[in-house]
Amino acid sequence: MNNVWILFKRELSSYFATPIAYVFIVIFLFISGIFTFYLGNFFARDQADLLPFFNFHPWLYLFLIPALSMRLWAEERKSGTIELLLTLPMTMGQAVSGKFLAAWAFTAITLALTFPMWITVNYLGDPDNGTVLAGYLGSLLMAGGFLAIGSCISALTKNQVIAFVVSVVVCLAFILSGFPLVLDFFSGWAPQVIVETISSFSFLTHFNALSRGVVDLRDIIYFVTLIAFWLFANAIIIAIKKAD
Amino acid sequence: MAMVEIKNLCKHYGPFTAVDNVSFDVERGEVLGFLGPNGAGKSTTMKMVTGFLTPDGGTVSIGGHDITKNPVAVKKRIGYLPEGAPAYPDMTAQTFLDFIAEVRGLTGNEKRRRVEETINKVNLEGVVYQPIETLSKGFKRRVGLAQAILHDPEVLILDEPTDGLDPNQKHEVRALIKEMAAEKVIILSTHILEEVDAVCTRAVIIAAGKLVADGTPTELEARSPQHNSVTLALRGTDKKTAERALKKIDVIKTVESTAETENVVGFRLYPRANRPMVAAISQLAQEQKWQIEELHVHKGRLDEVFRTITANQQSLT
C-alpha cells in the first residue's frame, strides 16, 4: 500500500512537471464550456440542472482520456524506465494501480475545476445538488473506466500514437453499445437477452442513470468491476510482454 | 552457499535462443566482469538475474532466495543499473533519488542522509535540481548509478556502467566500484576489455547465449597465444648467429626475427609449454657478450583471447 502511495505521488507530480496537466485542464474546461453553453443550450433550456454539462462527458472523454492514458505504459517502454520500475521492490499490482490511481486523481482534479459550472447553476436557479453530485460521481467513475481501458492498451505497445488510436476505438465501442442506433440494429433479429447484454456493457446506459441523479449500486459496481478487469488485464499483459 | 547462484538459465525469443544453459556462482567480494559480443545474451541474462524477465528455464537465487518465488524480497537486496541508465526525464535528480529512496523503504532523516551521501559519492552535487532530461550523458549515467547504490545493496548489477563516459568519468566510476567491492557482489557487463583488467576479480565470457570461459583476468590472458612470449632486441651480434644460439635453448619453441637495423637485431620468442624464458635468455646473452637493448615479456591480451573464443563459438553456430 505504501508503494502505491509513493508511486502515486511521483506520477501525479510528473503531470504537473510537464505541460500535460495544464494543456489537458485548459482544453477540458474550454471544450466542456462550449458544449454546455452552445450545443447543450444551457440557458435556453431554462432548467436549473447540469444535464447539458454531463451529457457531453462521454464524448469529451472519448478523446481526452486516451490522450492522457496513452503514455502510461507506452512511455515507460519507450524510455526503458519500465525496467527500472519493475526491478524495484514492488509488485506488479502496486505498479499498475499506483499509475492508474494517479491518472484518475488527475482527472478528478480536472473535474473539480469545473466548479464554476456548479456555482453558475446555483446562482441562476435552485438545482437539486444531490443530482449534481451524482452526476459528478458518475462522470468520475466513467473517466476511471476509460482510463483503465487506456492504461491496458498502452501496456501493449511502446508507440503512444497506436495506444491513443486503439484506445479511442475500444472506448467508442463501449459508448456506442448503448446507442439506440446500434441497439436497433440488433433488436430487429437478436433475442432480447443479447440486446440487453450489449446495452448493459455501455458506458452511456450506466452513466445516464447517474447523471440524472439515480445512484444505483449496480451502476457503481459496473464501473468498479470494469476498472478492476482492465487493470488486471493490464498487469497480465506487462507480465507476459515485458521486454519489447 | 554463494551469494548469487545462477543455474541452467535459459531464455528463448521464438526460435531464437538468447541465453542457453548459463550457470555460475558469485561470492561476496567478487567483481564479476560479464563479457561478450553485442547480442550475445549479456543484457538478457542480467534482466533475468534482476527479476525483470522471467527465465524459460533454470533458477536465479540471491542469498538463498529464488527470484521467481520471492521477487520483492530478492529485489530489495539488489541494486540495478539497466542498460542505458533509464530515469524519468521530467524529474530532477533530487526528486528522482528521493522517489527511489522511498520505494527502497527509507524515510525521514535516514532517507535524507542516504540520498545526500550518494549524491556526494557520484559527484552529482552541482546538478541535483536540474531535470534529468537536461543532463549530459555522463551525469545521466551517474544518476543511474546513484539510484542503484542508494540503499547499499548486497548485490550490485551494472549493465555497461561506463558506456559513453569520457576517460576521466570512466576512471571515477571504476574507482567507485573498487571502493564498494569488498563487501558486495558486483556483476558488471562491458565490452571494454581494459575495464576487466582494471576492476574485475573474475571474468566470464558469453557468446551466442553460452558461457564459454570463466576465470580470473590473468587466467584468461594465459590462454592467449602471445602469453609469456618475449620481445628481444640485441646489440653486438648478427641475426644468424643470434638466431642459431637462441634456438638451442630448450624452453624456446619458436624464434621469429622481427626487425633489423644497423647494429640491432630484433626477435619475437615463443616458449615451449608456457615456460618462462627470461633467465635462459639473459644467461645466454652474458655468455655471448650481447648487449640487451630490449627485453619484454608479454602477458597476453584479453582482446585476443576474447576474439579467439567468441569467433570459434560463432563459427560453430
Side-chain angles (χ1 to χ4, degrees):
Chain A
M1 208 55 221
N2 197 23
N3 279 341
V4 176
W5 172 239
I6 295 164
L7 186 59
F8 174 87
K9 279 191 298 180
R10 192 212 82 73
E11 289 279 322
L12 190 59
S13 62
S14 97
Y15 288 109
F16 292 95
T18 56
I20 293 178
Y22 309 102
V23 171
F24 187 86
I25 289 172
V26 169
I27 301 265
F28 183 87
L29 296 180
F30 184 68
I31 298 182
S32 68
I34 288 183
F35 278 1
T36 309
F37 292 109
Y38 291 92
L39 294 176
N41 292 321
F42 180 74
F43 295 117
R45 285 173 81 242
D46 203 21
Q47 283 182 37
D49 62 19
L50 282 180
L51 261 187
F53 169 64
F54 287 124
N55 274 344
F56 289 103
H57 280 198
W59 306 103
L60 206 52
Y61 287 159
L62 177 61
F63 290 99
L64 287 181
I65 299 277
L68 195 65
S69 67
M70 65 181 188
R71 51 177 287 280
L72 276 176
W73 289 97
E75 195 177 43
E76 297 260 359
R77 276 195 198 285
K78 185 96 185 174
S79 68
T81 45
I82 189 169
E83 199 172 340
L84 183 84
L85 185 67
L86 297 182
T87 51
L88 288 172
M90 63 168 82
T91 63
M92 186 70 78
Q94 289 170 341
V96 171
S97 41
K99 285 176 85 71
F100 168 77
L101 288 175
W104 203 12
F106 176 69
T107 56
I109 292 169
T110 311
L111 204 55
L113 288 175
T114 61
F115 71 90
M117 212 66 91
W118 174 71
I119 292 176
T120 309
V121 80
N122 268 286
Y123 175 75
L124 294 173
D126 184 21
D128 178 358
N129 279 322
T131 308
V132 172
L133 200 65
Y136 271 110
L137 176 72
S139 180
L140 186 60
L141 283 170
M142 185 171 58
F146 278 117
L147 266 178
I149 293 172
S151 174
C152 180
I153 289 166
S154 168
L156 281 166
T157 175
K158 62 172 128 186
N159 187 319
Q160 297 193 27
V161 176
I162 293 175
F164 175 79
V165 173
V166 176
S167 299
V168 168
V169 171
V170 174
C171 290
L172 184 64
F174 268 87
I175 293 180
L176 287 185
S177 68
F179 223 54
L181 200 72
V182 175
L183 291 176
D184 287 348
F185 173 76
F186 286 101
S187 62
W189 51 274
Q192 189 63 21
V193 193
I194 293 186
V195 179
E196 271 173 19
T197 312
I198 293 169
S199 130
S200 75
F201 269 107
S202 170
F203 283 5
L204 283 186
T205 317
H206 298 276
F207 174 66
N208 284 345
L210 282 163
S211 66
R212 291 199 163 78
V214 187
V215 182
D216 188 335
L217 195 61
R218 278 174 303 180
D219 294 326
I220 296 174
I221 289 174
Y222 164 79
F223 281 116
V224 172
T225 318
L226 184 103
I227 291 170
F229 170 80
W230 284 94
L231 290 185
F232 185 68
N234 185 350
I236 287 178
I237 285 168
I238 296 164
I240 293 173
K241 186 174 175 301
K242 277 176 189 162
D244 36 37
Chain B
M1 188 191 286
M3 190 68 198
V4 176
E5 287 184 334
I6 292 155
K7 281 206 191 84
N8 311 106
L9 209 57
C10 293
K11 184 77 192 176
H12 312 283
Y13 292 112
F16 174 71
T17 305
V19 175
D20 189 1
N21 214 1
V22 167
S23 305
F24 59 89
D25 291 350
V26 198
E27 304 279 356
R28 202 182 287 269
E30 276 190 302
V31 180
L32 180 79
F34 209 56
L35 310 178
N38 288 332
K42 288 179 303 217
S43 289
T44 307
T45 305
M46 292 186 131
K47 282 174 185 167
M48 287 192 281
V49 175
T50 51
F52 178 61
L53 293 179
T54 317
D56 291 332
T59 55
V60 173
S61 97
I62 303 225
H65 296 284
D66 191 305
I67 185 113
T68 49
K69 293 192 183 106
N70 211 345
V72 174
V74 173
K75 284 171 185 174
K76 279 186 180 158
R77 311 173 78 156
I78 302 179
Y80 177 39
L81 172 69
E83 194 176 5
Y88 294 104
D90 49 69
M91 297 178 97
T92 66
Q94 180 75 48
T95 52
F96 177 66
L97 293 176
D98 281 343
F99 162 67
I100 298 288
E102 281 176 37
V103 178
R104 292 292 186 184
L106 301 167
T107 48
N109 280 334
E110 173 75 357
K111 175 182 122 187
R112 211 165 310 133
R113 190 179 62 79
R114 288 296 270 287
V115 169
E116 203 181 297
E117 234 175 61
T118 312
I119 285 171
N120 291 336
K121 224 178 211 172
V122 299
N123 297 323
L124 276 175
E125 297 93 337
V127 298
V128 285
Y129 297 115
Q130 284 181 34
I132 292 171
E133 62 194 338
T134 64
L135 299 181
S136 69
K137 205 170 179 182
F139 276 124
K140 273 183 194 160
R141 190 59 50 126
R142 280 190 244 178
V143 171
L145 201 60
Q147 160 276 124
I149 63 172
L150 188 68
H151 56 300
D152 195 21
E154 293 166 276
V155 178
L156 190 56
I157 295 173
L158 309 169
D159 202 347
E160 303 194 348
T162 59
D163 185 43
L165 300 186
D166 68 35
N168 293 334
Q169 294 166 333
K170 276 183 187 161
H171 179 78
E172 280 170 32
V173 169
R174 285 174 196 160
L176 190 66
I177 291 171
K178 272 192 196 163
E179 191 189 304
M180 295 185 296
E183 73 270 32
K184 288 189 202 312
V185 167
I186 301 180
I187 301 177
L188 62 95
S189 80
T190 180
H191 42 231
I192 308 165
L193 293 156
E194 46 161 349
E195 198 151 289
V196 179
D197 270 327
V199 293
C200 298
T201 58
R202 190 175 142 207
V204 296
I205 299 179
I206 185 169
K210 290 193 181 65
L211 202 72
V212 288
D214 182 349
T216 63
T218 325
E219 277 166 10
L220 292 181
E221 279 164 2
R223 292 196 185 189
S224 160
Q226 309 292 327
H227 179 65
N228 269 353
S229 68
V230 166
T231 303
L232 178 69
L234 299 170
R235 191 187 285 278
T237 177
D238 63 288
K239 192 174 131 192
K240 276 191 182 148
T241 353
E243 199 171 332
R244 219 174 298 130
L246 285 168
K247 275 183 175 162
K248 280 184 186 147
I249 303 177
D250 66 341
V251 291
I252 296 177
K253 191 172 155 202
T254 41
V255 178
E256 273 172 24
S257 144
T258 49
E260 194 177 3
T261 58
E262 225 170 304
N263 302 315
V264 182
V265 283
F267 296 100
R268 185 75 183 248
L269 311 170
Y270 293 91
R272 211 178 287 281
N274 262 336
R275 282 155 66 189
M277 304 181 287
V278 175
I281 293 167
S282 63
Q283 201 189 349
L284 180 72
Q286 246 166 19
E287 285 167 12
Q288 304 281 342
K289 303 222 161 28
W290 296 337
Q291 277 175 284
I292 297 179
E293 277 290 299
E294 189 194 349
L295 178 65
H296 178 69
V297 183
H298 298 270
K299 286 201 323 204
R301 286 172 46 184
L302 214 47
D303 61 345
E304 278 170 354
V305 180
F306 179 83
R307 268 208 308 277
T308 323
I309 294 175
T310 55
N312 279 344
Q313 195 62 35
Q314 263 155 359
S315 64
L316 284 175
T317 53

